[in-house]
C-alpha cells in the first residue's frame, strides 16, 4: 500500500474497521423510496439501457443515436448525436409544465435579508443574463470566470452561460488574486463576474480591488461584471472604465425572454479547477448531456428527492463541484425547492443552520464531515433548541466520515431515524458514485458502501487485481460513466497520465483514494494515497503549498504534509529550511506568521498551514523524493517509522533534535 495508509490516518482507520453497527431503513421510508433493490440488477443486466432510461429524465431537442462511444478511450462520448439545452432543462421546462410559481430558491443572506425565487422568476433572470452576456460578445465555447459568494446571481450566471453554450469556470471566493489569475489565464476567460464586496462573519468587506489586482494585464479579459451586494457599506468600488459594468445595469436593460438553443450532448458545459499532485491546478472539463443525466439521476435516488414536496439544502459553495452538481444542476433539473445560504454557520450564532431548517421545513440536508464535527464541538444543546423534525434524510460528502460524527449526526440532527447517505465522488466524476441507497441499504457508520446502480468501482492491489473481502488497496472505476470528466482543459496528455496510466493495462480510472472492502463487500474510503491533502473537504496539493512557501525570500526548501486533525480531517503542516542569508529571527514567531500569511496570499486562506516547523534538513530518498510519511509521523507526534530508504539516515534525528531544542 502507498504511504498514506501505512501511517496516515491510522487512528481513524482503527475506528472504522471495528465498526459493526448497521441501520436498516424504516418501513415507511422504504415504502415511498425513489430507489428499489431491483435497480442494481436492472443496471447490471444492461448498463447502456439503464443510462438511456436515466437520460429520459431530461428534455432532448434531438434524440441520441448511441448511448456510449468509448472507441477513443479514455475520451468518452455519451448520448452521441443528442442535442439539449442544459438551462432549459433546469428552468424553462418546469415553468412550461405549470410549476412557474414553485419556489426554486429560498435564498438567505448572511445579514438576514431573504429572497424567494420562483421557477418563473428564475427563468426571467436567466433569460436576461443570457442576453446580457451575449451583448458582451460571449458566445458558444467562450469561457466566463465567476468569483462570487453564494448570491442568487451566481446561480443565474452559471445557468446563463449554459444557456448560450459558454463554459463557466467558477473560482472559489476564498482563492487569492494570484490563484484567480492563474485560472483566468489558463481558461482564457473573456468575461469575469464578481461582486463589490462580501458579508463574512457579520462584516461587509470590499473585494473588488482584489479582483482588479488579479486581472491586471490579463489579456483575455474584455469585461468585468460586478454584482452589487454590499453597496453603501463598502462604498463605490475601484472601476476601470470600458471594462467594468454593473451586473444590474446591464441585466435590467435586457428582455426577459430568451429562446434557448440546443447544443450537442458533448458540448462543454464547464471547467472547474482542482488541485492535483503538481503545483499547477487542473481544469476539469465537463460536458452537457451525460453530466446532467448523472447529476439528475443521483440527486433523485440518493436524496430520495420528491419535487413539490421536499425542501432540500446542500450547504456547499458553488466554488466546488458539490455546488455545481448538487445546488445548481441536479436539483434544478429535478425541480427542487432548495435553500441557498450566503454566510458562515456561526453568524450571528451557532444555531444558524438549525434556525434555517426550522424556518423553511428543510427535509433533505447535505453537508460535509468537517462541519458535522464543528457542530459536535459547539454542542448538542444548540440543535436541540430547534424543531428539526422536518428532516427525513441527511447526506455527507468530501472526506471519510468517522463513525462518531456519523452517529452524532444521526442522533442530534436526524432524530435517530433519518437515513444518512455517505456519498463518495470527485470533481472528476461529476456526480455521486458510491453511496447507500436510502430506503434500500442498511447503512453503516463510516462506509460509503456500494457503487450506485449504473456505476462500477473496485478495490484493487498494486497489480490492478481486485482484492478480496477484508482486503485493502486502491479505488478504481472500471467502467466509463456519464458524468465523467472529458479531460483536463488544454492538456490531454496530463489527463491520460493522471488518471489512466497507473492501471493502463486494465483500462481503469485511478481515483487517488485508498479503500477497503469489509466482510460484507462494502467499501470503506480511507483517504488520498497521493500528495493531495483534504482540509475541511477542500483539496489542496502539498506541492502547491510548497511552491508558495519557497516563493518567500526566507525559504530555501519546504515540505508539506497533511496531518490528522480532529475537526478539519487534515491540517497542513509545513517543514521549511531557511535560506543561508535569512535574518536571524526568521525562525521566530513573527516570521512564521509572515510565512503563513504569505501562503494565504499566494493561494488563499484555506491553504494557510496550521503549523510551520523550521528544520535543518528534509528527509529524502536517494532519488531525491521527500519522504512525507516520516514528516507526517512528526506532525502527528508518532514514533518515526522506517528510515532505511533515506539517503542520509541521520536526518530524522537531526530534525527531531532541532525541534526539541526549539531551533
Ligand atoms: C474525498 C468532492 C471519503 C476523496 C465531491 C476524493 C471522500 C476527494 C468522500 C474529492 C466520501 C469525497 N468519503 N472521501 N464520502 N467524498 N471524498 O474533487 O479523497 O473536492 O478523492 O470532490 O474527496 O474531492 P473533490
Amino acid at each position: 500500500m502507498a504511504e498514506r495508509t501505512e501511517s496516515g490516518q491510522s487512528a481513524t482507520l482503527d475506528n472504522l474497521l471495528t465498526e459493526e453497527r448497521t441501520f436498516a431503513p424504516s418501513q415507511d421510508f422504504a415504502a415511498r423510496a425513489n430507489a428499489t433493490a431491483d435497480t442494481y440488477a436492472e443496471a447490471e443486466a444492461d448498463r447502456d439501457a439503464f443510462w438511456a432510461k436515466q437520460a429520459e429524465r431530461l428534455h432532448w431537442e434531438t434524440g441520441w443515436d448511441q448511448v456510449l462511444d468509448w472507441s477513443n478511450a479514455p475520451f468518452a462520448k455519451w448520448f452521441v448525436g443528442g442535442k439539449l439545452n442544459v438551462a432549459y432543462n433546469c428552468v424553462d421546462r418546469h415553468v412550461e409544465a405549470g410549476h412557474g410559481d414553485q419556489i426554486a430558491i429560498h435564498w438567505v443572506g448572511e445579514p438576514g435579508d431573504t429572497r424567494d425565487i420562483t421557477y418563473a422568476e428564475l427563468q426571467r433572470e436567466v433569460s436576461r443574463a443570457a442576453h446580457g452576456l451575449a451583448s458582451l460578445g460571449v458566445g458558444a465555447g467562450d469561457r466566463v470566470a465567476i468569483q462570487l459568494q453564494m448570491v442568487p446571481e451566481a446561480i443565474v450566471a452559471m445557468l446563463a452561460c449554459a444557456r448560450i453554450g459558454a463554459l463557466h469556470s467558477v473560482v472559489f471566493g476564498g482563492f487569492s488574486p494570484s490563484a484567480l489569475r492563474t485560472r483566468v489565464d489558463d481558461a482564457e476567460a473573456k468575461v469575469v463576474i464578481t461582486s463589490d464586496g462580501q458579508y463574512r462573519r457579520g462584516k461587509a468587506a470590499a473585494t473588488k480591488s482584489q479582483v482588479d489586482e488579479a486581472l491586471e494585464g490579463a489579456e483575455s479579459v474584455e469585461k468585468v461584471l460586478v454584482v452589487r451586494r454590499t453597496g453603501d457599506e463598502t462604498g463605490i468600488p475601484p472601476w476601470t472604465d470600458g471594462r467594468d459594468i454593473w451586473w444590474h445595469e446591464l441585466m435590467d436593460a435586457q428582455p426577459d425572454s430568451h429562446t434557448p438553443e440546443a447544443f450537442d450532448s458533448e458540448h462543454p458545459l464547464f471547467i472547474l479547477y482542482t488541485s492535483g499532485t503538481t503545483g499547477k491546478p487542473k481544469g476539469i472539463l465537463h460536458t452537457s448531456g451525460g453530466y446532467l443525466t448523472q447529476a439528475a439521476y443521483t440527486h433523485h435516488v440518493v436524496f430520495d428527492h420528491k419535487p413539490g414536496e421536499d425542501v432540500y439544502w446542500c450547504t456547499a459553495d458553488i466554488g466546488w463541484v458539490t455546488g455545481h452538481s448538487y445546488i445548481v444542476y441536479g436539483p434544478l433539473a429535478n425541480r427542487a425547492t432548495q435553500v441557498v445560504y450566503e454566510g458562515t454557520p456561526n453568524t450571528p450564532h451557532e444555531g444558524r443552520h438549525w434556525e434555517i431548517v426550522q424556518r423553511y421545513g428543510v427535509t433533505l440536508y447535505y453537508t460535509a464531515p468537517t462541519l458535522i464535527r464543528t457542530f459536535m464541538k459547539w454542542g448538542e444543546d444548540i440543535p436541540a433548541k430547534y424543531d428539526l423534525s422536518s428532516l427525513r434524510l441527511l447526506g455527507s460528502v468530501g472526506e471519510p466520515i468517522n463513525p462518531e460524527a456519523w452517529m452524532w449526526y444521526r442522533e442530534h440532527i436526524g432524530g435517530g431515524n433519518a437515513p444518512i447517505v455517505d456519498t463518495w465522488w470527485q470533481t472528476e466524476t461529476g456526480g455521486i458514485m458510491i453511496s447507500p441507497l436510502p430506503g434500500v441499504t442498511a447503512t453503516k457508520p463510516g462506509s460509503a458502501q456500494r457503487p450506485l446502480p449504473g456505476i462500477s468501482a473496485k478495490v484493487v492491489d498494486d497489480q490492478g487485481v481486485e482484492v478480496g473481502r477484508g482486503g485493502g488497496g486502491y479505488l478504481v472505476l472500471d467502467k466509463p460513466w456519464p458524468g465523467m470528466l472529458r479531460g483536463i482543459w488544454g492538456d490531454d496528455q496530463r489527463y491520460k497520465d493522471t488518471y489512466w496510466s497507473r492501471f493502463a493495462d486494465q483500462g481503469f480510472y485511478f481515483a487517488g483514494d485508498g479503500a477497503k472492502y469489509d466482510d460484507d463487500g462494502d467499501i470503506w474510503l480511507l483517504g488520498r494515497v497521493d500528495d493531495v491533502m483534504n482540509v475541511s473537504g477542500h483539496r489542496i496539493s502539498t506541492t502547491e503549498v510548497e511552491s508558495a512557501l519557497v516563493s518567500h525570500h526566507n525559504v530555501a526548501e519546504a515540505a508539506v504534509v497533511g496531518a490528522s486533525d480532529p475537526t478539519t480531517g487534515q491540517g497542513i503542516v509545513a517543514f521549511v529550511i531557511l535560506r543561508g542569508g535569512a535574518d536571524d529571527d526568521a525562525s521566530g514567531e513573527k516570521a512564521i506568521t509572515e510565512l503563513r500569511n504569505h501562503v494565504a496570499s499566494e493561494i488563499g486562506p484555506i491553504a494557510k498551514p496550521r503549523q510551520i516547523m523550521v528544520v535543518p534538513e528534509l528527509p529524502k530518498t536517494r532519488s531525491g523524493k521527500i519522504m512525507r510519511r516520516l514528516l507526517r509521523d512528526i506532525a502527528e507526534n508518532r514514533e518515526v517509522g522506517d528510515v532505511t530508504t533515506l539517503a542520509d539516515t541521520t536526518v530524522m534525528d537531526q530534525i527531531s533534535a532541532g525541534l526539541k531544542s526549539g531551533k
Side-chain angles (χ1 to χ4, degrees), residues 417-605:
N417 58 34
I420 296 179
V421 288
D422 174 6
T423 62
W424 179 89
W425 59 295
Q426 308 178 297
T427 306
E428 292 86 342
T429 69
I432 297 170
M433 303 293 281
I434 305 177
S435 164
L437 276 185
V440 175
T441 315
T443 54
K444 291 179 182 173
S447 172
Q449 298 189 289
R450 255 181 102 170
L452 290 178
I455 300 296
S456 188
K458 289 192 165 51
V459 182
V460 301
D461 65 16
D462 254 324
Q463 267 65 52
V465 178
E466 188 172 17
V467 302
R469 293 193 172 191
Y474 303 101
L475 183 73
V476 297
L477 303 169
D478 59 321
K479 303 236 163 62
W481 64 100
M484 69 194 291
L485 75 166
R486 299 302 196 262
I488 292 176
W489 183 253
D491 202 343
D492 285 352
Q493 193 56 44
R494 190 173 179 199
Y495 168 61
K496 292 187 200 160
D497 293 347
T498 310
Y499 304 105
W500 302 94
S501 66
R502 179 71 181 76
F503 297 106
D505 293 347
Q506 299 83 352
F508 294 160
Y509 168 93
F510 174 53
D513 280 40
K516 184 176 166 74
Y517 289 125
D518 66 15
D519 292 339
D520 303 324
D522 279 324
I523 297 176
W524 296 71
L525 277 313
L526 306 176
R528 303 287 306 187
V529 294
D530 55 15
D531 293 336
V532 175
M533 298 174 287
N534 190 327
V535 182
S536 296
H538 300 157
R539 272 165 73 168
I540 300 167
S541 93
T542 48
T543 332
E544 223 174 332
V545 180
E546 285 162 5
S547 321
L549 283 166
V550 295
S551 74
H552 189 277
H553 56 88
N554 276 344
V555 177
E557 244 190 294
V560 165
V561 298
S564 299
D565 185 288
T567 306
T568 59
Q570 288 188 301
I572 304 176
V573 177
F575 296 81
V576 298
I577 302 178
L578 296 174
R579 275 185 197 232
D583 319 339
D584 273 353
D585 67 346
S587 54
E589 212 172 297
K590 214 171 116 213
I592 298 238
T593 307
E594 183 183 316
L595 278 183
R596 294 179 66 234
N597 291 338
H598 178 71
V599 175
S601 78
E602 286 293 303
I603 306 172

Side-chain angles (χ1 to χ4, degrees), residues 342-389:
E342 180 186 37
T344 51
N346 52 351
T347 307
H349 57 79
E350 291 167 347
R352 189 72 193 266
H353 275 212
W354 318 124
E355 183 181 78
I356 293 173
V357 167
Q358 174 177 295
R359 170 167 180 176
Y360 294 102
V362 172
T363 57
L364 315 171
Y365 178 81
Y366 189 30
T367 196
T370 182
L371 192 56
I372 299 168
R373 291 189 296 263
T374 304
F375 291 143
M376 283 173 78
K377 233 171 32 190
W378 291 344
E380 62 214 43
D381 47 322
I382 292 173
K385 286 189 224 150
Y386 299 88
D387 178 4
L388 305 182
S389 60

